[in-house]
Amino acid sequence: MSLFLSIHPENPQSRLIDQVVQVIEKGGLIAYPTESGYALGCLLDNKAGADRIRAIRQLPESHQLTLMCKDLSNISEYAKVGNVQFRYLKSHLPGPYTFILPASREVPRRLQNPKKKTIGIRVSPNKIANELLSRFDQPLISSTLLLSGEEMPMTDAWEIKETLGHALDAIVDGGFCGYEPTTVIDFTEEVPVLVRQGQGAFNE
């Protein structure tokens, strides 16, 4: 049975964050709140965790997962960011955006788009997510908790516990955190291209 922790969305309790960090450090897979519903997360070097994410969401091996980074400097370690991209990212992050960028050598090939060698990057404004990420030098592999056959991501931690408690190591209850997906922008070239319109406004 997974660990279930209710953490204050505006003032996350350090002792509870510490418990979640311990689970993640031991190779655990968690469900945690973001600005666009709950997400599944594990450490970047956790191959088994990434496999578990794909199994829960019934995703193929070729499906590109996202890296949840703590800040812009963290992004530059895992994605190739030119001056144009950097200025654009700086004006939009943290926020409800997923940027597709060329992956750096720090990103395992198993996480990259197999043909384009790209990776999805996010920086969330969610305070609980930020507190978790602040404890690590590497980002979390992340995927919106959207189950196969459903149109909307899961938004209730208790429902996640009832549905997926057996498949997760920890569930972080951060209350309702929205359900509209992020706006996805392909920024592999110098001109951004809208892939999916979500919460965030798209301005070229």
Side-chain angles (χ1 to χ4, degrees):
M1 182 61 68
S2 59
L3 180 68
F4 187 91
L5 294 170
S6 294
I7 298 181
H8 196 282
E10 294 299 324
N11 298 291
Q13 303 96 315
S14 291
R15 62 182 179 81
L16 300 182
I17 293 291
D18 288 343
Q19 291 184 53
V20 183
V21 168
Q22 289 174 12
V23 170
I24 296 172
E25 288 178 334
K26 292 177 181 178
L29 176 64
I30 69 165
Y32 70 103
T34 76
E35 78 285 4
S36 57
Y38 281 77
L40 300 170
C42 66
L43 283 179
L44 176 65
D45 57 7
N46 187 347
K47 182 181 183 300
D51 292 341
R52 289 168 67 188
I53 290 175
R54 289 192 173 99
I56 289 171
R57 291 206 50 203
Q58 298 182 30
L59 299 171
E61 281 287 326
S62 59
H63 182 88
Q64 181 174 285
L65 298 175
T66 297
L67 298 185
M68 185 71 81
C69 296
K70 57 187 174 183
D71 53 33
L72 282 172
S73 61
N74 200 213
I75 289 177
S76 64
E77 293 182 50
Y78 300 95
K80 298 174 183 177
V81 182
N83 292 334
V84 174
Q85 287 93 337
F86 182 82
R87 287 194 296 270
Y88 194 93
L89 267 60
K90 186 176 181 181
S91 67
H92 287 77
L93 295 175
Y97 298 89
T98 300
F99 288 98
I100 308 300
L101 295 163
S104 76
R105 294 180 180 179
E106 299 298 320
V107 179
R109 287 188 177 182
R110 59 186 167 78
L111 297 179
Q112 300 177 27
N113 180 296
K115 294 182 179 180
K116 299 181 179 179
K117 309 303 182 188
T118 57
I119 189 69
I121 296 287
R122 287 181 64 184
V123 178
S124 177
N126 183 280
K127 293 184 179 181
I128 294 174
N130 286 333
E131 279 297 316
L132 286 173
L133 288 160
S134 72
R135 309 297 179 91
F136 300 104
D137 293 330
Q138 59 180 288
L140 293 180
I141 300 171
S142 189
S143 182
T144 299
L145 218 175
L146 178 64
L147 298 181
S148 179
E150 298 293 328
E151 295 184 357
M152 304 298 290
M154 300 188 77
T155 61
D156 182 85
W158 285 100
E159 182 183 359
I160 295 170
K161 180 181 180 181
E162 291 178 4
T163 306
L164 296 172
H166 64 284
L168 299 172
D169 299 298
I171 298 167
V172 179
D173 177 13
F176 178 76
C177 55
Y179 53 82
E180 190 175 352
T182 60
T183 288
V184 179
I185 299 173
D186 185 328
F187 220 153
T188 52
E189 304 293 339
E190 289 200 352
V191 178
V193 177
L194 179 66
V195 176
R196 181 186 70 197
Q197 181 67 62
Q199 292 184 62
F202 174 66
N203 298 304
E204 290 190 37

